[in-house]
Amino acid sequence: MNSIQECMTTNVATVSSQQTIKEAATLMGQSNVGSIPVVDNGQLRGIITDRDITLRTTAKGLENSTPVSQVMSTNLVSGHTSMSVEEAAKIMAQHQIRRLPIVENNQLVGIVALGDLATNEMSDHAAGVALTNISEPNKTS
């Protein structure tokens, strides 16, 4: 089993709960992501998504200066550094989420996206096929 630490992103863009949704949206654009963990003093407080901004702010006519805390999702599911890739995939499937923040000692240490798991699984499969082909004796006679 592969550890989640092998495929998680550790350089995670974050916003504080007091930053504005405009700042969050700008950071999403710069980082080319659709969600950003909300972290106060290193602790994961929530997550804000482009969907949160659209439905909870723009659709309701709120200002760009609205604090992230007013529109972020707080019913968070998170993982831990000692979990396996398989465990993370199972949690993400159960909760139908595309990104899983990884927490250690109540501190955000990384995030795993669905694409990270797919890439990891494909790499493992490819490595397995390669190893099988390398390990088989040459069948030329």
Side-chain angles (χ1 to χ4, degrees), residues 36-141:
I36 297 182
V38 180
V39 177
D40 289 328
N41 299 320
Q43 296 203 344
L44 183 63
R45 298 287 185 219
I47 195 160
I48 187 161
T49 67
D50 46 11
R51 183 175 167 88
D52 292 333
I53 292 171
T54 301
L55 298 179
R56 296 179 184 165
T57 309
T58 308
K60 293 184 177 178
L62 295 177
E63 299 293 319
N64 284 341
S65 58
T66 301
V68 166
S69 60
Q70 287 187 23
V71 297
M72 68 184 189
S73 298
T74 55
N75 54 338
L76 269 187
V77 176
S78 62
H80 50 85
T81 53
S82 60
M83 72 188 330
S84 68
V85 170
E86 292 80 7
E87 288 172 302
K90 185 184 258 187
I91 287 171
M92 292 169 81
Q94 284 173 339
H95 295 278
Q96 296 184 342
I97 56 176
R98 294 181 181 155
R99 291 166 194 83
L100 183 66
I102 305 299
V103 178
E104 185 175 350
N105 299 321
N106 294 323
Q107 303 284 306
L108 178 72
V109 294
I111 195 162
V112 174
L114 204 52
D116 298 332
L117 298 183
T119 302
N120 184 268
E121 293 297 333
M122 284 186 252
S123 299
D124 287 351
H125 178 71
V129 169
L131 184 58
T132 300
N133 290 339
I134 292 167
S135 300
E136 282 184 8
N138 192 340
K139 294 187 176 158
T140 56
S141 9

